[in-house]
Amino acid sequence: MSKSILTIIAIFGISFNVIAGNSEINTTQKQKNFRFPAGVSEQNYVPGKIILKVKTEYRQFCTNTGFDESRFRSISTQASIINMSKIFPGKTAPAVERNNMDLKLADLSLIYKADFSTDLRIEKVIDLLMATGLFEYVEPSYISSVSYTPNDPLLSNSGMYFLNKINAYNAWDINKGDTNIVVGIVDTGTDWDHGDLVTAIKYNYADPINGIDDDNDGFIDNYRGWDVAANDNDPMVTGSGVPAHGSHVSGCAAAATDNGVGVAGSGFKTKFLPVKISDNLGNLIAAYEGIVYAADHGCHIINCSWGGPGGGQFGQDIIDYATINQDRLVVAAAGNDGNEIHFFPSAYKFVLSVASTNDTDTKSGFSNYGTFVDVSAPGSNIYSTYFNNTYTGSSGTSMAAPIAAGAAAIVKAQFPFYTGLQIGEQLRVTSDNIDGINPAYAGKLGRGRINLFRALSESAKSVRMENLFLTDNNDDTFVANDTLRISGDIINFLNPLSNLTVTLSTTSSAVTIIDNSTTPGAMGSLATSNNLADPFLVKINPSAVQNAKILFRLTFNDGAYTDIQQFELIVNVDYINVTKNDIGTTITSKGRLGYNNTGQSEGLGFTYKGSATMMYEGGLMIGANSNQVSDNVRGASNGQTDNDFQSVLKVATVIPTVKSEFDLFGKFNDALAGATTMNLLVDHQLYVWSTFADRKYVIVEYTIKNNGSSNISGLHAGIFSDWDIMDYNKNKISEDAATRMGYAWSTENNGLFAGIKLLTPGPFIHNAMDNLGGGSGGINIADGYSSAEKYQGLSTNRATAGGAGVGNDIIDVVSTGPYSISPGNSIVVAFALIGGDSLSDIISSAIAAQIKYDFVTGLSAASNDLSQNDLILYPVPAKNELNVVMNSAWSANDKVSILDALGQTVFSSDIKELNTEGQNLKISLTEMNAGIYILKVEGKNSAITKKFTIVR
């Protein structure tokens, strides 16, 4: 029953909705920054509220009402964090890490909810908190909604067709269920005095209604269930429409059967426990908390006829807890959007996802579908119990899910020693295939429509492959000509196997499967085998289109048993993650840096030694005037992005490397700029080294060609970066003119540094911006970033940003220009992107980058005249030693002199006599007094001078 559809984007693994086992994809990289799942809008989460999970090592700082750690105290003030409290204050850490199937137990004891100022963007608050390293995750508080479509009341019992359709009558001849088996109806409550429900409730006789917590479970008088939303013992629905949803759902699963009253539920003798999660208007305000309550209070099956497109780790933690820690089966509605959008909790691992069908086994028009669905069940026009002791017909996956849940409860009664996952698998693998009836949805309605008789009578087999691991044994960036190795854990959930084979297949022409099978052979019940030593081998074909989505199928065979599992892989992406030294970043095919798309999606940002990203957004900007600026960064209106660059040649690794240890090359143009295009063609290259002096930077180089018929004048080109270093509200910017670098840093203790250094000759232009309303005297980018403002940033100087205090949110642009490019000609501009622990650290890397670029690659643009920019001195001011770096070639016979303020020579030497390290010279200053001096380098045809200061 493993709806084991997994989507892998580039090298990021996203696993969706797997019942049997832990099906996350293991790769070498993890997404470090928050981004909303597809389909999520502002209506799908609570503004100003977040969910946080503290890392285990900081448990000692946790209380039920707060988290008293110094870094968090500081940042919580900046983010206006208030009303922080544990969601499950009574929970403790699991005694062991994993269960006997090697599945990791969930720890709910460190999960908090908190409010924050709605003046702040939720994405930045999340990234800010994650940057502290204190939390496993921080995410929005997603809103769920019920999944049903009301219908006119039926005048007959035709809506009871579902019992025949799932073969319930024949199944009940085998097993009518057990009153000790309980389905938790986690919903809007129930009509607990309804004539067809009152005898089906699982009453807690250990805690009668007397104002005392007789059973000492922390809930007073939870005799007939619990209202988790209101924290009281009255789970009664509060009216018709959405508030009455839970009463209809209750009857689908567990309406009293064979009692001479009303309708019948699929669970026959099965009892249900009402767990109310909504307010009186039907808003689901305690949905996942309700799952925990049901899991803790004896519900073997937990039904969730609700959900939404937002799916974070908090929800997965709750499912893990219910399934792995408490051995329950969670059944959930696939959603009523009529498309393939993932709907949570249905799309989580370990959840039995249920799509809806009608009385002809045709997919209900409203039902979601997809390879993440496990089974289908009738959900159209279902007649069931309703508000105020009435009955009505309703449609939705909300009805399909409890019908499946009631059936699962009878499976549990038939196989009492099965785990929750095994119950789900037994129901899944005995379903009737309905692909022939639904050819347009073949493979997307699960194994089929459930058949309760088969589930009770068949000795079934079920195999799933979990913990998929994909690698190309190289950079784990899956592009054309790469050979992928796919392995994972093969788990046998049900009856023993004698000769299992697993085969990989696909209909996609984007790949060629080189090795398509592995043979685990005989396997006992609940046994696990891994094919790491015999992986599937898949080659990505040169013809694969950009961002090709490949649907793979795993086929399991053992005698007469055949089963399938599917997963998706997106390959030949138009960006590459770079992690060859201390810097981690992403290079795209369209001029963006850090992330391929807006909202910090598809990429690493910019990291240093595995830190959280220090960059919110980055990219190349090229402008000729205030009306003509081409780029792919934020635009004139908030929320808008300019998309002027388009890929001509997708960025790819250069094999074998030519200039560095990891060369990338691509081409893009500005054809998408429309009327303001400059007809540019840009060759983009990246160089990376891991040697000691060069491990803290990467180099990006752009050859900008005038591909038009008119001269371009006034052209400036530069790198835009919205730096978010640790707490983004504590960032500052300055510049080091000697190394031609703009740099940003965090003012926090042990704050990190990041810099952008101009490597090619030409004017060094640096514009530091305060990302605040009004711009604090600089460019006001808070209300949007117009072409005029972009050109101003490219062509004018502003040395600092961040104010006089601890700093604020900042943005930096380092550029060069102006240039004039005639038709067919080009210029070259190059920059080093640098990370470090201190200012001296990034200055050293800036110098090393310049040396590497000029003297190792030999790629810098030619300079006809020497200038002071060719001479770098550090530290400035100096104390006991002066380091000298020349950007131009020198000879051993060149002379170096130091003159005092009166022009008198106080030091003179040939270069060959000095202590040199590559192109570095070291001059002792211990014999010189404090003051202003001039360093002079004399060659055969030229001389360069530069002023510096000695302090004592």
Side-chain angles (χ1 to χ4, degrees):
M1 118 190 120
S2 171
K3 50 180 162 315
S4 189
I5 177 62
L6 303 126
T7 299
I8 309 108
I9 303 175
I11 59 171
F12 301 109
I14 307 173
S15 68
F16 291 116
N17 197 256
V18 177
I19 296 292
N22 181 0
S23 189
E24 66 265 20
I25 298 276
N26 297 312
T27 63
T28 56
Q29 298 299 323
K30 297 288 186 181
Q31 176 70 30
K32 296 179 179 294
N33 308 101
F34 174 78
R35 65 180 188 268
F36 283 108
V40 173
S41 65
E42 293 181 357
Q43 288 73 41
N44 300 124
Y45 59 90
V46 182
K49 187 178 290 293
I50 50 176
I51 305 293
L52 315 88
K53 186 173 186 181
V54 176
K55 289 182 177 178
T56 302
E57 57 263 38
Y58 301 108
R59 185 181 297 276
Q60 68 269 29
F61 301 108
C62 295
T63 65
N64 284 346
T65 57
F67 179 47
D68 190 25
E69 202 277 341
S70 59
R71 286 171 289 175
F72 177 72
R73 286 199 304 269
S74 173
I75 287 180
S76 64
T77 300
Q78 294 292 324
S80 301
I81 300 293
I82 55 176
N83 300 326
M84 183 174 178
S85 61
K86 281 189 175 181
I87 298 178
F88 307 104
K91 296 298 180 187
T92 58
V96 295
E97 183 180 15
R98 294 180 178 271
N99 69 0
N100 57 3
M101 291 177 62
D102 201 34
L103 299 175
K104 188 175 182 180
L105 299 170
D107 182 2
L108 305 187
S109 66
L110 299 174
I111 302 176
Y112 288 83
K113 59 183 175 182
D115 298 322
F116 68 92
S117 171
T118 54
D119 292 335
L120 300 174
R121 290 209 321 269
I122 192 168
E123 300 99 315
K124 282 216 167 185
V125 170
I126 290 172
D127 286 343
L128 165 66
L129 293 169
M130 285 299 294
T132 65
L134 299 171
F135 301 100
E136 285 191 21
Y137 57 79
V138 183
E139 60 191 44
S141 177
Y142 290 111
I143 299 172
S144 296
S145 58
V146 297
S147 300
Y148 88 120
T149 304
N151 214 343
D152 291 333
L154 299 178
L155 300 178
S156 69
N157 287 340
S158 62
M160 298 301 296
Y161 74 90
F162 70 90
L163 293 175
N164 269 317
K165 185 57 66 174
I166 68 170
N167 211 355
Y169 298 113
N170 288 325
W172 291 341
D173 287 338
I174 299 174
N175 197 312
K176 293 182 175 63
D178 189 327
T179 57
N180 293 309
I181 306 298
V182 184
V183 175
I185 303 297
V186 180
D187 215 291
T188 63
T190 196
D191 190 3
W192 51 256
D193 60 1
H194 193 293
D196 229 1
L197 296 175
V198 64
T199 61
I201 294 174
K202 185 64 175 181
Y203 294 102
N204 179 14
Y205 296 106
D207 195 2
I209 299 176
N210 58 9
I212 302 172
D213 183 11
D214 298 276
D215 58 359
N216 296 312
D217 68 346
F219 300 90
I220 298 173
D221 297 350
N222 54 338
Y223 173 67
R224 59 171 70 89
W226 194 254
D227 184 343
V228 180
N231 197 32
D232 64 33
N233 70 337
D234 185 8
M236 176 65 84
V237 296
T238 56
S240 61
V242 173
H245 181 265
S247 58
H248 197 279
V249 170
S250 301
C252 292
T257 303
D258 203 24
N259 64 342
V261 177
V263 297
S266 60
F268 207 102
K269 291 182 180 180
T270 301
K271 298 297 185 180
F272 79 96
L273 185 70
V275 181
K276 187 177 180 182
I277 57 174
S278 68
D279 61 19
N280 288 339
L281 298 177
N283 300 308
L284 308 188
I285 61 176
Y288 288 97
E289 294 90 328
I291 295 176
V292 172
Y293 181 90
D296 287 345
H297 287 82
C299 297
H300 304 87
I301 315 297
I302 300 172
N303 185 79
C304 303
S305 288
W306 46 266
Q313 186 57 41
F314 169 66
Q316 186 63 67
D317 273 352
I318 301 305
I319 299 302
D320 290 352
Y321 174 79
T323 305
I324 302 173
N325 297 41
Q326 297 290 64
D327 192 21
R328 315 306 188 190
L329 172 66
V330 179
V331 180
N336 294 347
D337 303 290
N339 59 33
E340 287 191 80
I341 188 171
H342 286 90
F343 193 76
F344 297 91
S346 179
Y348 281 127
K349 294 179 297 179
F350 309 126
V351 176
L352 184 71
S353 174
V354 186
S356 174
T357 52
N358 62 21
D359 59 354
T360 63
D361 277 339
T362 302
K363 185 189 82 71
S364 302
F366 52 77
S367 179
N368 285 0
Y369 55 91
T371 49
F372 70 94
V373 172
D374 292 302
V375 296
S376 299
S380 293
N381 301 319
I382 304 299
Y383 199 62
S384 183
T385 52
Y386 198 57
F387 171 69
N388 201 20
N389 203 32
T390 61
Y391 299 87
T392 192
S394 288
S395 297
T397 55
S398 277
M399 286 66 252
I403 289 171
I410 295 186
V411 174
K412 174 66 176 176
Q414 181 72 3
F415 304 98
F417 299 109
Y418 272 9
T419 67
L421 292 176
Q422 287 179 300
I423 294 166
E425 283 300 302
Q426 180 74 17
L427 191 62
R428 183 187 69 83
V429 296
T430 55
S431 296
D432 292 338
N433 188 292
I434 56 174
D435 284 350
I437 301 172
N438 299 273
Y441 306 102
K444 298 183 179 181
L445 295 175
R447 174 85 172 190
R449 188 255 308 121
I450 62 171
N451 184 325
L452 183 55
F453 176 76
R454 290 184 59 197
L456 300 184
S457 60
E458 292 186 10
S459 178
K461 298 177 180 180
S462 176
V463 181
R464 301 284 87 184
M465 190 166 183
E466 314 299 343
N467 301 320
L468 293 182
F469 180 80
L470 291 88
T471 180
D472 62 1
N473 279 358
N474 181 20
D475 56 7
D476 288 318
T477 300
F478 305 149
V479 296
N481 295 312
D482 278 352
T483 297
L484 308 184
R485 291 158 177 80
I486 304 175
S487 60
D489 293 333
I490 300 166
I491 304 175
N492 176 29
F493 278 92
L494 297 176
N495 287 291
L497 308 168
S498 59
N499 187 28
L500 176 68
T501 61
V502 186
T503 305
L504 182 73
S505 62
T506 183
T507 59
S508 173
S509 61
V511 298
T512 298
I513 300 178
I514 301 171
D515 184 344
N516 72 337
S517 67
T518 187
T519 306
M523 295 182 67
S525 179
L526 297 181
T528 299
S529 176
N530 188 285
N531 72 319
L532 186 62
D534 181 26
F536 303 114
L537 300 179
V538 179
K539 182 179 180 180
I540 303 173
N541 294 329
S543 60
V545 299
Q546 187 172 294
N547 299 316
K549 181 183 287 188
I550 303 160
L551 180 63
F552 286 106
R553 171 177 290 198
L554 293 165
T555 302
F556 307 98
N557 287 287
D558 182 68
Y561 165 69
T562 298
D563 204 350
I564 65 168
Q565 178 178 338
Q566 300 180 94
F567 64 94
E568 289 177 347
L569 177 67
I570 299 178
V571 301
N572 219 23
V573 293
D574 57 349
Y575 63 94
I576 292 179
N577 294 322
V578 181
T579 57
K580 295 300 181 181
N581 58 17
D582 289 346
I583 301 301
T585 193
T586 297
I587 305 302
T588 77
S589 297
K590 52 193 177 187
R592 291 180 62 84
L593 295 170
Y595 298 99
N596 194 42
N597 288 319
T598 58
Q600 294 187 294
S601 64
E602 299 181 3
L604 304 177
F606 184 86
T607 66
Y608 170 66
K609 289 186 175 179
S611 69
T613 185
M614 299 193 286
M615 177 188 286
Y616 182 78
E617 180 186 10
L620 175 71
M621 299 195 306
I622 306 173
N625 53 61
S626 59
N627 294 317
Q628 285 184 297
V629 179
S630 293
D631 62 88
N632 270 8
V633 301
R634 66 190 63 181
S637 301
N638 280 330
Q640 175 207 344
T641 299
D642 287 341
N643 293 296
D644 302 324
F645 294 139
Q646 71 174 5
S647 176
V648 174
L649 180 65
K650 183 173 63 70
V651 65
T653 54
V654 178
I655 300 175
T657 60
V658 177
K659 299 296 182 181
S660 72
E661 296 173 21
F662 187 69
D663 297 355
L664 299 182
F665 179 79
K667 288 178 181 282
F668 55 88
N669 62 31
D670 69 339
L672 298 180
T676 62
T677 181
M678 291 173 277
N679 294 305
L680 302 175
L681 179 64
V682 182
D683 287 4
H684 178 197
Q685 301 193 68
L686 173 128
Y687 308 108
V688 184
W689 296 269
S690 61
T691 47
F692 181 79
D694 307 299
R695 69 183 189 275
K696 298 183 180 182
Y697 66 84
V698 299
I699 289 176
V700 288
E701 181 189 64
Y702 306 95
T703 301
I704 303 170
K705 180 180 180 181
N706 180 352
N707 220 28
S709 58
S710 301
N711 189 66
I712 301 175
S713 60
L715 186 139
H716 292 75
I719 300 294
F720 165 95
S721 180
D722 181 348
W723 293 116
D724 282 353
I725 305 176
M726 301 167 69
D727 180 348
Y728 66 88
N729 285 315
K730 295 182 179 179
N731 285 184
K732 286 178 174 286
I733 295 176
S734 189
E735 65 182 36
D736 184 69
T739 56
R740 305 204 297 168
M741 175 174 63
Y743 63 89
W745 76 98
S746 169
T747 61
E748 296 178 87
N749 291 334
N750 301 313
L752 298 177
F753 283 68
I756 306 170
K757 172 183 163 44
L758 176 64
L759 292 166
T760 41
F764 166 64
I765 303 172
H766 174 229
N767 197 298
M769 292 174 277
D770 291 282
N771 194 13
L772 303 171
S776 290
I779 299 172
N780 179 17
I781 197 172
D783 61 354
Y785 200 21
S786 68
S787 292
E789 289 171 327
K790 290 177 180 178
Y791 191 70
Q792 181 183 352
L794 287 168
S795 59
T796 64
N797 288 287
R798 186 174 189 244
T800 63
V806 297
N808 48 248
D809 197 5
I810 50 86
I811 289 174
D812 210 13
V813 174
V814 172
S815 59
T816 185
Y819 293 96
S820 180
I821 313 177
S822 58
N825 287 328
S826 305
I827 63 165
V828 177
V829 295
F831 305 87
L833 308 179
I834 305 169
D837 300 294
S838 64
L839 176 57
S840 61
D841 194 17
I842 62 171
I843 286 177
S844 295
S845 292
I847 293 167
Q850 190 72 68
I851 293 170
K852 200 68 147 178
Y853 185 77
D854 285 344
F855 295 106
V856 175
T857 70
L859 292 175
S860 64
S863 176
N864 295 325
D865 300 306
L866 294 175
S867 70
Q868 288 193 348
N869 287 328
D870 292 311
L871 185 63
I872 298 172
L873 310 180
Y874 73 97
V876 178
K879 191 171 183 182
N880 295 319
E881 186 178 71
L882 181 68
N883 292 271
V884 182
V885 177
M886 283 282 290
N887 286 337
S888 300
W890 52 23
S891 72
N893 294 321
D894 290 345
K895 180 172 291 187
V896 178
S897 305
I898 297 178
L899 291 73
D900 64 18
L902 300 176
Q904 297 176 337
T905 299
V906 295
F907 172 86
S908 181
S909 175
D910 291 339
I911 287 177
K912 63 184 177 183
E913 297 175 357
L914 295 174
N915 176 31
T916 63
E917 292 184 1
Q919 296 299 324
N920 290 342
L921 305 181
K922 295 181 181 294
I923 301 175
S924 174
L925 306 177
T926 55
E927 302 299 323
M928 302 178 197
N929 297 322
I932 298 173
Y933 293 84
I934 296 174
L935 182 112
K936 183 177 182 181
V937 179
E938 297 176 89
K940 183 177 181 180
N941 299 314
S942 62
I944 307 172
T945 61
K946 200 153 197 175
K947 187 183 296 185
F948 71 98
T949 303
I950 298 176
V951 295
R952 295 289 183 225

